[in-house]
Amino acid sequence: MQNIALITGVTGQDGSYLSEFLLDKGYEVHGIIRRSSVDFRERIAHLEGVPNFHLHYADMSDSMSLVKLVGKVQPTEIYNLAAQSHVQVSFDAPEFTADVDAVGVLRILEAVRTNHLENTCRIYQASTSELYGKVEEVPQNENTPFHPYSPYAVAKLYGFWIIKEYREAYNMF
């Protein structure tokens, strides 16, 4: 069985590196790009046209586009790298940040469940040191309490907890 990866945030630095890595390992790689008036794909331009590399339009704020795409691709792995990741922008656009960085994670989880892939699809949720925000100890470890200090950090913390909840409630990986 071939591994099929679906990558959100594929046009970012990490998404392009991950695509290269997985293609070299023999994966079929599908990347999500947003419809936009500016088409920024410089980091993945060298991958377009490569066998086993496919791009699809979808949006983290549109659950139906994610449900349909997950159903079409049938991924064995999803790497969620998409985020509004600028801390200052999260203060300027907190609702947008929450919609993409928090509820977007929930939309991916529900797209997997809706397509009955919870037993065959593994999900990786990218996180951030911003979860610790107002650092209470140095260095941080697995027992360091979270103290998010921006709308971005709070949204990413929701993503962290909803992944944990779905793992426990639905036995998802």
Side-chain angles (χ1 to χ4, degrees):
M1 180 173 140
Q2 181 170 16
N3 289 317
I4 302 168
L6 179 61
I7 303 173
T8 71
V10 73
T11 59
Q13 174 183 293
D14 295 348
S16 68
Y17 287 147
L18 179 60
S19 295
E20 291 172 357
F21 177 77
L22 295 175
L23 287 167
D24 286 345
K25 291 179 72 77
Y27 278 62
E28 183 178 318
V29 176
H30 296 261
I32 293 178
I33 55 177
R34 283 184 296 147
R35 292 201 186 276
S36 171
S37 59
V38 178
D39 194 17
F40 181 77
R41 295 194 222 172
E42 293 175 3
R43 292 188 184 107
I44 58 169
H46 66 288
L47 296 174
E48 293 188 52
V50 169
N52 291 327
F53 184 73
H54 313 278
L55 294 176
H56 306 273
Y57 287 107
D59 197 291
M60 296 299 290
S61 65
D62 179 12
S63 54
M64 191 53 66
S65 70
L66 295 172
V67 168
K68 286 166 50 174
L69 184 57
V70 168
K72 176 182 175 183
V73 170
Q74 298 283 302
T76 57
E77 300 172 12
I78 295 176
Y79 296 87
N80 184 27
L81 308 179
Q84 185 303 102
S85 58
H86 194 279
V87 171
Q88 183 55 53
V89 171
S90 79
F91 284 98
D92 297 336
E95 185 177 345
F96 173 74
T97 302
D99 192 29
V100 171
D101 296 9
V103 182
V105 180
L106 177 62
R107 290 183 184 110
I108 287 176
L109 291 163
E110 280 298 302
V112 168
R113 280 187 5 97
T114 298
N115 286 288
H116 309 289
L117 299 175
E118 55 265 51
N119 294 321
T120 58
C121 182
R122 295 175 173 217
I123 301 169
Y124 171 80
Q125 170 61 26
S127 198
T128 175
S129 62
E130 292 289 327
L131 297 181
Y132 299 105
K134 192 172 183 179
V135 177
E136 296 178 13
E137 64 185 53
V138 176
Q140 294 86 45
N141 61 47
E142 292 81 4
N143 298 313
T144 303
F146 293 132
H147 193 150
Y149 220 59
S150 68
Y152 165 69
V154 171
K156 291 297 280 188
L157 188 57
Y158 175 87
F160 172 88
W161 284 112
I162 200 67
I163 286 281
K164 187 174 180 356
E165 176 60 29
Y166 271 58
R167 183 178 60 231
E168 293 173 6
Y170 300 110
N171 201 31
M172 294 173 75
F173 188 99

